[in-house]
């Protein structure tokens, strides 16, 4: 709950700096603007102050945060959830779409083109495998999106498919 509250404070009170002049936590706290590095550094500072273990992850010119919540590591990208990053289809849930993700989802979402290589700059000893702290899963709001596909998924499973795509 602390990590979520701090996350929401940052995305509600800060703006992304497209000029790339503000890259420090200081810039985000003082000027309310910063790059992904500033968002990450500020979030990490706040997490550490409330006793949450955390770390830095980067790949393809982007930086985000790893945090250990309830004994499980997860990815949290505060930059992608700023006002400019809102997803119209997810509406309010766009505020939390990058909160509490595991390694495989963050690779698909942020690394994209070459997911088999994984994340290039992440502590190899830290694995984020759980979605128990993912906001959409934890709140049960996942059903707003997943229930529409339940029958299609079940049909594929009944056919013995272990891999399939849904449109």
């Amino acid at each position: 709950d602390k990590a979520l509250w701090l996350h929401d404070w940052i995305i509600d009170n800060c703006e992304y700096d497209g000029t790339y002049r503000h890259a420090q936590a200081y810039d985000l706290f003082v000027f309310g603007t910063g790059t992904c590095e500033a968002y990450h550094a500020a979030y990490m500072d706040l997490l550490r102050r409330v006793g949450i273990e955390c770390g830095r992850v980067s790949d393809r010119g982007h930086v985000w945060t790893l945090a250990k919540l309830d004994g499980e590591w997860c990815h949290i990208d505060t930059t992608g959830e700023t006002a400019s990053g809102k997803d119209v289809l997810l509406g309010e849930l766009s505020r939390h779409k990058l909160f509490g993700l595991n390694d495989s989802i963050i690779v698909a979402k942020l690394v994209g083109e070459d997911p088999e290589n994984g994340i290039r700059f992440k502590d190899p000893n830290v694995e984020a495998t759980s979605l128990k702290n993912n906001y959409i899963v934890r709140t049960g709001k996942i059903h707003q999106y997943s229930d529409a596909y339940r029958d299609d998924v079940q049909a594929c499973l009944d056919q013995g498919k272990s891999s399939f795509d849904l449109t």
Side-chain angles (χ1 to χ4, degrees):
D1 290 336
K2 290 176 187 177
L4 182 62
W5 191 93
L6 295 170
H7 164 277
D8 288 356
W9 184 89
I10 286 176
I11 64 171
D12 289 343
N13 293 285
C14 301
E15 294 290 328
Y16 186 77
D17 173 27
T19 68
Y20 305 108
R21 287 184 284 187
H22 302 283
Q24 306 289 322
Y26 174 87
D27 297 321
L28 208 68
F29 291 132
V30 174
F31 304 114
T33 187
T35 62
C36 59
E37 185 69 55
Y39 272 77
H40 157 72
Y43 189 51
M44 236 174 66
D45 183 47
L46 293 172
L47 290 174
R48 286 181 176 152
R49 288 175 187 264
V50 298
I52 296 175
E53 192 175 350
C54 52
R56 181 181 190 274
V57 187
S58 68
D59 200 349
R60 290 167 176 75
H62 184 54
V63 177
W64 65 95
T65 307
L66 269 172
K68 193 171 191 179
L69 307 180
D70 301 322
E72 301 278 348
W73 285 101
C74 63
H75 296 266
I76 303 170
D77 183 5
T78 52
T79 311
E81 302 194 319
T82 60
S84 60
K86 290 212 176 185
D87 184 323
V88 175
L89 294 176
L90 289 179
E92 179 59 25
L93 289 182
S94 69
R95 291 170 42 86
H96 302 105
K97 70 182 177 187
L98 299 176
F99 186 95
L101 298 179
N102 61 21
D103 286 340
S104 62
I105 293 176
I106 204 76
V107 165
K109 179 69 179 157
L110 298 179
V111 179
E113 311 88 43
D114 203 5
E116 63 273 1
N117 289 333
I119 301 166
R120 286 185 275 176
F121 303 105
K122 175 179 156 291
D123 183 339
N125 299 314
V126 174
E127 289 188 51
T129 57
S130 173
L131 287 173
K132 86 176 188 183
N133 282 298
N134 174 265
Y135 178 83
I136 297 171
V137 171
R138 191 173 128 198
T139 60
K141 294 180 180 187
I142 187 72
H143 296 290
Q144 294 174 352
Y145 307 98
S146 63
D147 287 356
Y149 299 101
R150 182 179 34 224
D151 294 340
D152 293 335
V153 170
Q154 190 61 55
C156 290
L157 294 173
D158 291 345
Q159 294 171 16
K161 294 181 180 179
S162 61
S163 176
F164 48 88
D165 293 322
L166 298 172
T167 56

